[in-house]
Amino acid sequence: MKKTAIFLSLILLIVFCIPSIYAEVNAPVEVMVNAGHSSIIALNQYGRVFSAGDNTYGQLMTYGWKNAVAVCAGRYFSAALLDNGKVVVAGKCEDGTEIDTSEFENITQIAAGDNFIAALDTNGNVFIAGDSGSIDTSNWQNIKKIACGKKHIVAVDYDGNCFGSGTTSAESVDAFSNIDSIYAGANLTVLKDFDGKLYHTGLGVYTKDADGAETGSEWLCGSWEEDIKDIKIIPGVNDVGVVVAITHDDKIITDGTYIGLDVEWSQEFVDELIAFEDVKDGTIFKYRNNYFATIVKSDLSVQHIMNETAINEFTETLDTFDLKMVPLNYTVSYPQIVTGPRTIGVLLPDRSVATIGKTSLEDFKGAKNLSVTKSYSSAYEISDYFLGVTNDGTVLTNLQEAE
């Protein structure tokens, strides 16, 4: 009787819990990754959210988020924009204050500072939640894009005019015009005009003399001639913004080589970073004094590099990111559950098979149907004999194991 109760409990767990993990948005969305202080958040093309790293403030409590279209991360919180225009948040401000986004509606973009989140709605208005200090966006209108640094927010409107608010030098963007896109991080704002030229305000990386001292005469990225597709700004020492850019030919360039040990990036780390090709998105973050890079390739594979010894508990979590995960309604009717004398088999939406019991079906890949029967070993012991069929008619079996 006790075994029967346990068996039924496992069936109920599979039926009611697993579907909620895999139910995802139908329309493809832009794959992206973003980083907080010691955590990372990622979004796959089906709207599923992944997170890893430090969870002291609950910033990894993104389990079950679905139908997301964008993600961002503050110092100790993670956030996602859903396809219904609402925003969900996991984690808190540094002082423990909750970040309430319940009144956000019709949102099209989100961006995060250290302890606040900014949201742009369909009317071009910008709203703030969390501990934003003196930031004020109430008079901003017709906004096209927003970006946040640690303690500032900047925006550009459809006419190429710029707006800024905060408590650092990086929000001083009002004098710029003819701006197409804007980026922020740490105490740095980067602006790209319609001709592709880059400008900045705040603390950036400058050229150095022969002794390694900054000359302060030239912002390094200002001389870049590459066609820039996207920019991430990584916090360096004293909130200097280190620029990591993805070019239109899907490669990475960075001014991090000019900072060197100031941000604890080894030359090997930088060399491996800029060697990536076919890059779709990526981010760099610091976890327990180690810098990590997470890179999403064009084929949606995810690769990680770090400049010191890997932290097992973190890298193992990162390895679970599956940005190729197929949503429910793109595969089979679900759930398909079959039960043998010693094993429960569950056909998952990614067409692999999960098992509870004595039999492992790790080699069952691409199955569209699943069945099970019993067989007998030479010692007359009952075991489970599974069969699966793929789309191309290949038969998957564990017959040899069963025999």
Side-chain angles (χ1 to χ4, degrees), residues 62-292:
T62 61
Y63 177 83
W65 287 5
K66 58 185 179 180
N67 299 340
V69 295
V71 293
C72 66
R75 185 173 181 82
Y76 296 124
F77 70 88
S78 303
L81 169 61
L82 307 183
D83 63 356
N84 62 2
K86 302 292 287 184
V87 177
V88 290
V89 176
K92 301 177 182 179
C93 297
E94 190 171 3
D95 64 1
T97 304
E98 300 284 346
I99 300 174
D100 183 8
T101 59
S102 59
E103 295 186 3
F104 286 4
E105 294 183 350
N106 302 317
I107 302 303
T108 61
Q109 289 180 39
I110 55 175
D114 254 14
N115 292 294
F116 68 92
I117 185 170
L120 174 67
D121 73 5
T122 53
N123 296 319
N125 300 311
V126 179
F127 302 92
I128 306 292
D131 182 7
S132 59
S134 60
I135 289 177
D136 181 12
T137 63
S138 58
N139 294 324
W140 296 5
Q141 297 178 344
N142 195 35
I143 299 301
K144 180 177 73 172
K145 186 178 187 296
I146 58 174
C148 293
K150 292 184 68 173
K151 297 180 180 180
H152 75 283
I153 178 174
V154 288
V156 59
D157 68 14
Y158 284 92
D159 297 320
N161 302 309
C162 298
F163 306 82
S165 183
T167 58
T168 71
S169 58
E171 71 269 10
S172 302
V173 296
D174 296 358
F176 293 94
S177 60
N178 194 40
I179 298 301
D180 179 40
S181 196
I182 199 163
Y183 312 90
N187 187 7
L188 177 68
T189 296
V190 175
L191 310 96
K192 185 175 71 171
D193 68 14
F194 285 97
D195 296 321
K197 183 173 175 56
L198 298 180
Y199 306 88
H200 84 292
T201 181
L203 301 179
V205 179
Y206 298 91
T207 54
K208 294 187 176 184
D209 59 24
D211 296 325
E214 286 190 353
T215 64
S217 59
E218 182 184 357
W219 178 56
L220 184 62
C221 302
S223 62
W224 284 357
E225 297 181 352
E226 290 85 353
D227 188 9
I228 304 299
K229 179 172 61 175
D230 193 19
I231 286 176
K232 299 291 179 74
I233 300 176
I234 313 303
V237 172
N238 297 323
D239 290 338
V240 169
V242 183
V243 178
V244 179
I246 303 173
T247 65
H248 273 283
D249 58 358
D250 300 329
K251 295 183 178 180
I252 295 175
I253 57 175
T254 178
D255 59 6
T257 53
Y258 277 71
I259 287 197
L261 295 178
D262 290 349
V263 291
E264 302 172 25
W265 292 12
S266 67
Q267 188 61 48
E268 291 79 9
F269 178 84
V270 175
D271 289 344
E272 190 171 356
L273 184 66
I274 62 179
F276 277 105
E277 297 182 346
D278 300 322
V279 176
K280 189 172 185 65
D281 198 12
T283 193
I284 297 174
F285 52 100
K286 193 174 184 179
Y287 183 76
R288 295 185 180 176
N289 296 318
N290 288 276
Y291 276 92
F292 287 77

Side-chain angles (χ1 to χ4, degrees), residues 232-355:
K232 299 291 179 74
I233 300 176
I234 313 303
V237 172
N238 297 323
D239 290 338
V240 169
V242 183
V243 178
V244 179
I246 303 173
T247 65
H248 273 283
D249 58 358
D250 300 329
K251 295 183 178 180
I252 295 175
I253 57 175
T254 178
D255 59 6
T257 53
Y258 277 71
I259 287 197
L261 295 178
D262 290 349
V263 291
E264 302 172 25
W265 292 12
S266 67
Q267 188 61 48
E268 291 79 9
F269 178 84
V270 175
D271 289 344
E272 190 171 356
L273 184 66
I274 62 179
F276 277 105
E277 297 182 346
D278 300 322
V279 176
K280 189 172 185 65
D281 198 12
T283 193
I284 297 174
F285 52 100
K286 193 174 184 179
Y287 183 76
R288 295 185 180 176
N289 296 318
N290 288 276
Y291 276 92
F292 287 77
T294 292
I295 306 298
V296 181
K297 304 290 289 294
S298 295
D299 63 359
L300 301 187
S301 62
V302 181
Q303 298 184 32
H304 314 288
I305 61 173
M306 63 287 299
N307 67 330
E308 294 183 18
T309 304
I311 304 169
N312 290 334
E313 66 180 84
F314 197 11
T315 54
E316 287 175 1
T317 306
L318 288 174
D319 287 341
T320 66
F321 281 23
D322 183 3
L323 300 187
K324 298 180 181 180
M325 182 168 287
V326 181
L328 164 61
N329 59 355
Y330 282 23
T331 56
V332 298
S333 297
Y334 180 78
Q336 184 182 1
I337 302 173
V338 295
T339 58
R342 304 178 68 191
T343 308
I344 302 170
V346 185
L347 181 59
L348 299 176
D350 64 356
R351 299 191 179 187
S352 63
V353 179
T355 58

